Amino acid sequence: MTTKQTIDFYYDLTSPYSWVAAELIEDIAAAGRRSVNYKPTLLGFVFKATGNSAPMMNPAKGKYAARDFARTARFHGLKINWPKQFPINATVGSRAILKLKSTQPEKVGEFTRALFRAYFVDQQDITTEEGVKAVADALGLDGAALAAANSDEAIKEQMKAAVQESVDVGMFGAPYFVVDGEAFWGQDRMDQLRRWVVEGPF
């Protein structure tokens, strides 16, 4: 029995470009008859491992990025309300996503997008177990169980492994996609990603 080919989608819940990518990726996957393998990671550790840094750390790049984040969202028909706290530590939400992958993998994309929207649209705090539980409950998921993943030792180890995997595949910023062994970095490379999965390698 053959399995559906996947697009590995590495992302961080504090990355606005990852949010835009999360809103676009399912359409691209469907166009290429692929499935999306959602892979949350933690950019802080990725940056440390790769010697990279967030755009906001550079004054000139940070000033540009703040406008570009909002413009990019508008371009794709998304409304963004800049979070009161940025960036954030997205560990609680990321661990909840990993927990959901083990119980209801078909719900991971929806939950991921809901967490992004809670943060970037509704200005909700998704850094706490209570905040993540609220987002999950609103989707009809078991919010208490997903929030409890934050203190689950097995999930903590999975999170460490997920971060290491993202570094091992070459990730240095988010979003990062791997398909057929080919890596695409950045939401602005998604047109290339679409062509690759629809028409084949180029």
Side-chain angles (χ1 to χ4, degrees):
M1 180 179 178
T2 58
T3 57
K4 197 173 184 180
Q5 292 176 301
T6 62
I7 299 172
D8 289 337
F9 172 31
Y10 297 85
Y11 60 97
D12 188 307
L13 292 170
T14 197
S15 161
Y17 292 123
S18 291
W19 167 45
V20 175
E23 297 287 354
L24 302 175
I25 190 61
E26 288 290 350
D27 180 65
I28 291 174
R33 298 181 181 180
R34 307 272 182 144
S35 61
V36 181
N37 189 4
Y38 290 86
K39 291 180 170 289
T41 188
L42 301 172
L43 271 179
F45 292 107
V46 172
F47 286 155
K48 185 176 181 180
T50 61
N52 198 7
S53 62
M56 305 307 265
M57 298 300 292
N58 179 293
K61 186 182 291 186
K63 183 179 179 180
Y64 170 81
R67 292 184 63 86
D68 187 62
F69 292 155
R71 184 177 63 234
T72 300
R74 293 195 307 270
F75 180 77
H76 291 285
L78 304 173
K79 180 182 179 182
I80 187 169
N81 293 313
W82 197 249
K84 296 176 182 178
Q85 182 181 354
F86 179 85
I88 56 170
N89 182 329
T91 301
V92 180
S94 298
R95 288 174 178 169
I97 292 170
L98 291 180
K99 176 66 175 180
L100 188 62
K101 285 187 74 171
S102 69
T103 57
Q104 294 177 276
E106 74 281 0
K107 296 288 187 179
V108 169
E110 182 183 13
F111 185 42
T112 291
R113 284 180 285 277
L115 286 167
F116 273 127
R117 292 168 190 162
Y119 179 50
F120 285 110
V121 180
D122 300 326
Q123 296 188 327
Q124 295 178 20
D125 185 359
I126 62 168
T127 65
T128 66
E129 293 182 15
E130 294 78 8
V132 170
K133 178 181 181 299
V135 174
D137 285 342
L139 294 179
L141 301 173
D142 187 345
L146 295 180
N150 188 48
S151 56
D152 185 318
E153 291 302 322
I155 296 295
K156 288 181 181 180
E157 289 304 313
Q158 286 183 36
M159 190 77 256
K160 290 179 182 178
V163 171
Q164 187 59 53
E165 178 190 329
S166 63
V167 173
D168 290 344
V169 299
M171 182 184 186
F172 51 88
Y176 193 83
F177 311 91
V178 179
V179 59
D180 305 332
E182 187 80 4
F184 297 83
W185 169 60
Q187 174 270 322
D188 56 345
R189 290 296 181 267
M190 294 185 80
D191 284 343
Q192 291 187 23
L193 177 64
R194 177 185 288 274
R195 177 176 163 183
W196 184 282
V197 299
V198 172
E199 301 181 21
F202 55 89

